[in-house]
Amino acid sequence: MTSTANAPAAGGGNAAHPDHLGHVIFITAAAAMGGFLFGYDSSVINGAVVAIRDRFDVGSATLAQVIAAALIGCAFGAATAGRLADRIGRIRCMQIAAVLFTASAIGSATPFALWDLALWRIIGGFGIGMASVIGPAYIAEVSPPAYRGRLASFQQAAIVIGIAVSQLVNWGILNLADGDQRGEIGGLEAWQWMLGVMVVPAVLYGLLSFAIPESPRFLVSVGKMDQAKTVLREVEGERIDADARVREIDAAIHSEHKSTFKDLLGGRMGFLPIVWIGIGLSVFQQLVGINVIFYYSSSLWQSVGIDASSSFLYSFETSVVNIIGTVIAMLFVDRIGRKPLALIGSVGMAISLGVAAWAFSFRSGVGDDITLPQTQGLVAIIAANSFVLFFALSWGVVVWVLLGEMFPGRIRAAALGVAAAAQWIANWVITVTFPTLSDWNLSGAYVIYAVFAVLSIPFILKWVPETKGKALEEMG
């Protein structure tokens, strides 16, 4: 098979420049709406934590289980999405995810019991898990190789924008309720509105899925060659040899077989080495503790003496830093490569987490009456934002890009599903353990996260491949 990177006539890695880049960006942004919903759902619960605990009268451990319930659904959704997408198509999977998002938003906003709330969050999580697999895979398959890194970054950009928007919405709803998360607005409590507003982007995601084309790879796999050529010209430019590109994709598909879990197995370590690398990337991305900031930031800042309204503003400010870091990553991921960005981020995160651990070691008081000295409080805020910045400009983007690129075509769908499922499981572990770790020793929790940031450095250097500038068909 001829490498696309060395086949300009076929529109390979060095020649694919679409005539209508704006349209390609629209397609990518529409697919990345699943990432927006992921970010929104991840962070919106942040504004409802205190109210849910008060409404249902639960302790930290039970509350953590409810917050993390969505992640159980995420793991199952991610594990099944790849195979489902190969059967019914990427677009149809997006539409199913949109329906699940919508149902979850409505159900989460109107629960009659704690288990009911947890169930709706699991349903929404299933949709998030599906979107977390389908989004990167679809974007990688429709992106011209020359732009693929930047376009793949849209997934993470959408996630961080979703986080920021949810913080703004929460803050606006809280103000309407006079600063009370349980304050009534139109017959519902403020926290219920926070969870229910997600129905708007969920419906938008579903509508946008009808406005974008199916992946050319899926179209070729089901024999719709003419439609595949149309989409390829649409996203890679009219000057490409669409017939050659279709033949190339078809040859790649027929040289592989439908990936199953069994295909991922090999050697003494169970999975193939490349699958373990994908799992490692996913797990390290979560074990540095990034989602602690977005699930618990408001309650975290309140625990060190910042009032409720101000804590929401601090959380939004952190989201802005997250967006800035993501933009930096989007600018450099195709210029300097995936590995250098990941290394920069690991070093920056390790230092930031270490400084945060030092600052939180000065925490005094018990229960809800906890404070930090003024100097250490300022240092904690700066360190937390520095950590978010380094994560966003590196691991936040790089992991999604690599997971969409690094697996050989014969195992891509199944491997991406396993890696994404591992990510959600690691996310669940961090989410359910943080409240207990925080009660035990908040500084110690950040030391643990810092250790994982340090361990990610040799992992990158020894095992992570560089995929910059390579066509998907070259991955092997």
Side-chain angles (χ1 to χ4, degrees):
M1 181 179 68
T2 302
S3 167
T4 55
N6 298 313
N14 298 323
H17 299 284
D19 299 311
H20 306 291
L21 183 59
H23 182 59
V24 177
I25 290 172
F26 168 77
I27 292 171
T28 304
M33 269 297 295
F36 178 93
L37 286 161
F38 166 25
Y40 194 99
D41 184 80
S42 297
S43 186
V44 73
I45 194 70
N46 180 23
V49 167
V50 175
I52 292 172
R53 181 167 52 200
D54 182 53
R55 166 77 175 268
F56 297 105
D57 192 23
V58 294
S60 296
T62 303
L63 179 66
Q65 293 290 344
V66 174
I67 292 170
L71 303 176
I72 298 172
C74 289
F76 283 107
T80 59
R83 292 291 293 142
L84 188 62
D86 283 342
R87 289 176 180 270
I88 66 174
R90 283 58 165 154
I91 299 299
R92 189 67 68 192
C93 279
M94 292 180 194
Q95 291 162 356
I96 292 172
V99 171
L100 294 174
F101 281 134
T102 303
S104 173
I106 296 170
S108 297
T110 56
F112 53 81
L114 193 63
W115 69 265
D116 181 46
L117 174 60
L119 177 62
W120 286 114
R121 285 189 55 73
I122 290 173
I123 291 172
F126 198 97
I128 293 172
M130 289 180 66
S132 73
V133 171
I134 300 306
Y138 174 86
I139 292 170
E141 290 173 356
V142 300
S143 298
Y147 293 90
R148 197 175 60 237
R150 279 164 284 183
L151 292 174
S153 301
F154 275 45
Q155 175 78 3
Q156 180 64 15
I159 292 172
V160 300
I161 292 171
I163 291 170
V165 170
S166 74
Q167 298 285 9
L168 268 183
V169 170
N170 283 357
W171 180 75
I173 291 172
L174 190 67
N175 280 334
L176 289 175
D178 297 323
D180 182 4
Q181 290 183 17
R182 295 203 60 192
E184 190 170 303
I185 306 172
L188 295 176
E189 294 182 4
W191 69 272
Q192 293 176 279
W193 282 105
M194 292 176 184
L195 300 182
V197 166
M198 195 173 74
V199 73
V200 176
V203 170
L204 179 61
Y205 179 47
L207 294 175
L208 285 172
S209 70
F210 288 97
I212 59 178
E214 182 55 86
S215 155
R217 181 180 174 84
F218 175 75
L219 291 172
V220 170
S221 73
V222 294
K224 297 182 179 180
M225 305 302 184
D226 289 339
Q227 291 184 38
K229 293 173 189 176
T230 299
V231 175
L232 285 167
R233 292 190 185 99
E234 193 176 329
V235 299
E236 294 192 9
E238 292 291 340
R239 292 183 297 277
I240 68 161
D241 186 340
D243 291 322
R245 287 288 288 124
V246 165
R247 286 195 299 271
E248 185 177 69
I249 294 170
D250 190 45
I253 291 172
H254 282 89
S255 68
E256 58 198 48
H257 59 280
K258 294 295 184 182
S259 56
T260 65
F261 185 80
K262 185 178 179 181
D263 297 323
L264 307 183
L265 304 178
R268 292 177 299 172
M269 297 297 291
F271 288 124
L272 294 169
I274 191 67
V275 179
W276 279 119
I277 293 171
I279 292 171
L281 283 167
S282 291
V283 169
F284 272 119
Q285 189 198 50
Q286 297 304 315
L287 294 186
V288 295
I290 186 62
N291 280 312
V292 165
I293 298 294
F294 298 116
Y295 288 141
Y296 295 109
S297 59
S298 291
S299 55
L300 177 64
W301 296 127
Q302 290 176 51
S303 75
V304 294
I306 295 171
D307 65 82
S309 295
S310 296
S311 71
F312 272 75
L313 289 177
Y314 278 118
S315 297
F316 175 68
E317 178 259 340
T318 301
S319 297
V320 173
V321 172
N322 200 10
I323 293 173
I324 292 171
T326 302
V327 171
I328 293 172
M330 293 174 72
L331 292 174
F332 288 100
V333 69
D334 278 329
R335 295 182 184 180
I336 68 174
R338 287 60 161 149
K339 289 183 68 169
L341 272 184
L343 286 169
I344 291 169
S346 292
V347 173
M349 288 190 297
I351 294 171
S352 301
L353 288 165
V355 172
W358 171 83
F360 283 125
S361 70
F362 289 84
R363 189 178 71 165
S364 61
V366 295
D368 294 328
D369 185 22
I370 296 174
T371 59
L372 278 180
Q374 185 175 5
T375 299
Q376 281 74 19
L378 179 61
V379 169
I381 292 172
I382 294 173
N385 283 307
S386 173
F387 165 56
V388 170
L389 178 66
F390 278 107
F391 176 87
L393 65 80
S394 60
W395 281 76
V397 165
V398 166
V399 169
W400 290 111
V401 173
L402 283 171
L403 291 181
E405 295 177 335
M406 63 186 284
F407 299 116
R410 65 185 177 83
I411 64 167
R412 183 172 296 126
L416 185 52
V418 168
Q423 185 174 121
W424 293 115
I425 292 170
N427 191 340
W428 178 83
V429 170
I430 291 297
T431 303
V432 298
T433 57
F434 177 74
T436 302
L437 284 174
S438 178
D439 290 344
W440 164 68
N441 189 322
L442 183 59
S443 178
Y446 277 84
V447 168
I448 293 171
Y449 305 147
V451 168
F452 282 115
V454 171
L455 291 175
S456 70
I457 296 173
F459 174 76
I460 299 164
L461 290 172
K462 186 167 184 178
W463 285 296
V464 175
E466 179 59 77
T467 59
K468 174 188 172 186
K470 295 182 179 179
L472 290 183
E473 286 72 27
E474 290 183 79
M475 308 302 173

